[in-house]
Amino acid sequence: MSRRKLLLGNWKMFKGPTAADALGRALVGAFDGFRQDVELVAFPPAISIAAVSQAVRNSRIGVGAQNIHWLDEGAMTGEISAPFLVDAGLKHVLVAHSERRQHFAETDETANRRVKAALKHGLIPVLCVGETLAERDANDTERVLERQLRGALAGLSEADMSRLVIAYEPVWAIGTGRVATTDQAQAAHAFIRLTMRSLGGSLADTLPIVYGGSVKADNAAGLMQLPDVDGALVGGASLDAASFRAIGDGFGAAA
Ligand code: PGA
């Protein structure tokens, strides 16, 4: 089964407009001649979106946002909405990254609202799921993943779900240098696909599921060749154009 492949860079709270412009330009250079069948998207901080969009214009590098509010507009100081992203020419938005869950009170219910808002406006939500170390140690990984998926996708039609990207990001692997083993990653991705089959039927076969958590050039190839891993969501190593490109080269031979 051939599925879309994605290489996504989550810049988190790094790179203000000036530095983001420089990284955007460096990415254009670094990915010159890169295989066409892997979609590339950078997710800079909101204030740097315009600078990066300008820096990567006329290139194949897409720009996305790290979060949205579910309302179209309103008295929501500090927030940005899905229609604003569309207006700015964006196509992708991260939803419920574990740092949002951990530090900003994101729940499965608010994730559900954000996914619905993104889809309503034609954006592609990259829904992040993943267990903490305590949950993994308690053998709770599958239960947590299933709860996060069912919660965030409640009320969605199969047509809606077919437009999603899912990112499996074990919390214990994010920013820790401790990457999931290939067995752990494959097992979690296969479980996510199984859960999606029960939620949405055959769309599960074409749904891209990317892995995130300490992806680097030296572990990318092992992860990218797994049958249920369709790409990567990269944090730290996406802040350097050459190391992000080196991860891209881990996708192996072009189909
Ligand atoms: P990391 O972050 O690659 O720095 O571990 C991944 C993420 O949080 O998306």
Side-chain angles (χ1 to χ4, degrees), residues 8-12 94 97-99 128 167 169-171 173-178 211-216 233-238 247:
L8 311 175
N10 174 12
W11 296 8
K12 310 193 180 190
L94 302 182
H97 187 277
S98 69
E99 286 150 18
C128 304
E169 296 204 308
V171 177
I174 295 177
T176 58
R178 182 178 165 192
Y211 170 83
S214 295
V215 178
K216 309 278 182 244
L233 175 55
V234 184
S238 74
I247 289 170

Side-chain angles (χ1 to χ4, degrees), residues 137-149:
D137 287 346
N139 242 340
D140 257 353
T141 299
E142 295 191 347
R143 200 181 56 81
V144 169
L145 293 176
E146 183 164 358
R147 190 205 74 219
Q148 290 175 336
L149 290 168

Side-chain angles (χ1 to χ4, degrees), residues 58-142:
N58 303 327
S59 84
R60 51 180 291 211
I61 296 171
V63 182
Q66 296 177 9
N67 190 26
I68 48 166
H69 196 271
W70 48 85
L71 293 177
D72 288 359
E73 61 180 8
M76 289 291 164
T77 302
E79 296 291 307
I80 56 175
S81 74
F84 298 173
L85 300 197
V86 173
D87 188 9
L90 273 52
K91 293 198 177 67
H92 300 80
V93 61
L94 302 182
V95 174
H97 187 277
S98 69
E99 286 150 18
R100 305 292 318 170
R101 295 180 191 261
Q102 210 178 331
H103 305 302
F104 301 96
E106 185 81 77
T107 63
D108 295 329
E109 202 261 323
T110 54
N112 183 237
R113 293 190 196 196
R114 293 186 220 278
V115 168
K116 285 178 175 161
L119 291 170
K120 175 178 154 205
H121 292 281
L123 296 165
I124 297 171
V126 179
L127 172 67
C128 304
V129 296
E131 79 288 358
T132 63
L133 188 58
E135 289 163 343
R136 174 163 285 270
D137 287 346
N139 242 340
D140 257 353
T141 299
E142 295 191 347

